Short mmCIF file of all heavy atoms in Angstrom, two decimals:
data_model
loop_
_atom_site.label_atom_id
_atom_site.label_comp_id
_atom_site.label_asym_id
_atom_site.label_seq_id
_atom_site.Cartn_x
_atom_site.Cartn_y
_atom_site.Cartn_z
N LYS A 525 155.80 63.68 -69.03
CA LYS A 525 154.71 64.57 -68.71
C LYS A 525 154.90 65.56 -67.55
O LYS A 525 154.07 66.36 -67.31
CB LYS A 525 153.45 63.76 -68.47
CG LYS A 525 153.50 62.77 -67.32
CD LYS A 525 152.18 62.06 -67.11
CE LYS A 525 152.34 61.07 -65.96
NZ LYS A 525 151.11 60.37 -65.62
N TYR A 526 156.01 65.36 -66.85
CA TYR A 526 156.21 66.26 -65.70
C TYR A 526 157.54 67.04 -65.76
O TYR A 526 158.53 66.52 -66.18
CB TYR A 526 156.30 65.45 -64.39
CG TYR A 526 155.02 64.80 -63.96
CD1 TYR A 526 154.99 63.41 -63.65
CD2 TYR A 526 153.84 65.52 -63.84
CE1 TYR A 526 153.84 62.79 -63.26
CE2 TYR A 526 152.68 64.87 -63.42
CZ TYR A 526 152.67 63.54 -63.13
OH TYR A 526 151.55 62.92 -62.73
N TRP A 527 157.47 68.25 -65.27
CA TRP A 527 158.67 69.01 -64.90
C TRP A 527 158.84 68.80 -63.40
O TRP A 527 157.94 69.00 -62.61
CB TRP A 527 158.46 70.50 -65.18
CG TRP A 527 158.90 70.77 -66.62
CD1 TRP A 527 158.07 70.75 -67.71
CD2 TRP A 527 160.21 71.13 -67.07
NE1 TRP A 527 158.84 71.03 -68.87
CE2 TRP A 527 160.13 71.28 -68.45
CE3 TRP A 527 161.45 71.28 -66.46
CZ2 TRP A 527 161.23 71.59 -69.25
CZ3 TRP A 527 162.56 71.68 -67.21
CH2 TRP A 527 162.42 71.75 -68.63
N HIS A 528 160.04 68.34 -63.04
CA HIS A 528 160.31 68.08 -61.62
C HIS A 528 161.15 69.24 -61.07
O HIS A 528 162.23 69.51 -61.58
CB HIS A 528 161.08 66.77 -61.45
CG HIS A 528 160.27 65.56 -61.78
ND1 HIS A 528 159.57 64.86 -60.87
CD2 HIS A 528 160.07 64.96 -62.98
CE1 HIS A 528 158.94 63.86 -61.47
NE2 HIS A 528 159.20 63.90 -62.75
N PHE A 529 160.63 69.92 -60.04
CA PHE A 529 161.36 70.96 -59.35
C PHE A 529 161.91 70.38 -58.07
O PHE A 529 161.14 69.98 -57.16
CB PHE A 529 160.43 72.12 -59.00
CG PHE A 529 160.03 73.00 -60.19
CD1 PHE A 529 159.27 72.48 -61.21
CD2 PHE A 529 160.43 74.34 -60.26
CE1 PHE A 529 158.91 73.25 -62.29
CE2 PHE A 529 160.04 75.10 -61.34
CZ PHE A 529 159.29 74.56 -62.38
N ILE A 530 163.24 70.24 -58.02
CA ILE A 530 163.86 69.53 -56.89
C ILE A 530 164.70 70.53 -56.07
O ILE A 530 165.72 71.01 -56.51
CB ILE A 530 164.79 68.37 -57.38
CG1 ILE A 530 164.00 67.45 -58.33
CG2 ILE A 530 165.36 67.65 -56.20
CD1 ILE A 530 164.85 66.36 -58.97
N LYS A 531 164.25 70.75 -54.85
CA LYS A 531 165.04 71.58 -53.94
C LYS A 531 166.03 70.71 -53.21
O LYS A 531 165.67 69.60 -52.74
CB LYS A 531 164.13 72.34 -52.94
CG LYS A 531 164.89 73.28 -52.05
CD LYS A 531 163.99 74.10 -51.17
CE LYS A 531 163.54 73.32 -49.96
NZ LYS A 531 162.94 74.11 -48.86
N LEU A 532 167.25 71.16 -53.10
CA LEU A 532 168.29 70.40 -52.42
C LEU A 532 168.84 71.12 -51.21
O LEU A 532 169.12 72.32 -51.32
CB LEU A 532 169.46 70.11 -53.39
CG LEU A 532 169.18 69.15 -54.54
CD1 LEU A 532 170.38 69.02 -55.41
CD2 LEU A 532 168.79 67.79 -54.00
N MET A 533 169.03 70.41 -50.11
CA MET A 533 169.61 71.04 -48.96
C MET A 533 170.97 71.66 -49.21
O MET A 533 171.56 71.39 -50.28
CB MET A 533 169.78 69.99 -47.85
CG MET A 533 168.96 70.26 -46.66
SD MET A 533 169.37 69.14 -45.33
CE MET A 533 167.86 69.41 -44.34
N GLY A 534 171.46 72.40 -48.28
CA GLY A 534 172.77 72.99 -48.44
C GLY A 534 172.83 74.37 -47.80
O GLY A 534 173.82 75.06 -47.92
N ARG A 535 171.73 74.74 -47.19
CA ARG A 535 171.61 76.05 -46.53
C ARG A 535 172.05 77.17 -47.46
O ARG A 535 171.44 77.30 -48.52
CB ARG A 535 172.39 76.14 -45.23
CG ARG A 535 171.82 77.15 -44.25
CD ARG A 535 172.68 77.41 -43.07
NE ARG A 535 172.88 76.31 -42.23
CZ ARG A 535 172.15 75.95 -41.22
NH1 ARG A 535 171.08 76.62 -40.91
NH2 ARG A 535 172.50 74.93 -40.47
N SER A 536 173.10 77.96 -47.22
CA SER A 536 173.46 79.07 -48.04
C SER A 536 174.12 78.69 -49.37
O SER A 536 173.75 79.12 -50.44
CB SER A 536 174.37 80.02 -47.30
OG SER A 536 173.82 80.43 -46.11
N ALA A 537 175.13 77.87 -49.23
CA ALA A 537 175.95 77.56 -50.42
C ALA A 537 175.26 76.61 -51.35
O ALA A 537 174.41 75.83 -50.97
CB ALA A 537 177.26 76.96 -49.98
N SER A 538 175.63 76.65 -52.64
CA SER A 538 175.04 75.77 -53.66
C SER A 538 175.92 74.64 -54.02
O SER A 538 175.81 74.01 -55.10
CB SER A 538 174.70 76.56 -54.92
OG SER A 538 173.92 77.71 -54.62
#
Side-chain angles (χ1 to χ4, degrees):
K525 60 178 179 178
Y526 292 128
W527 272 89
H528 292 267
F529 286 65
I530 306 174
K531 184 175 78 164
L532 290 177
M533 243 188 199
R535 206 190 299 270
S536 304
S538 307

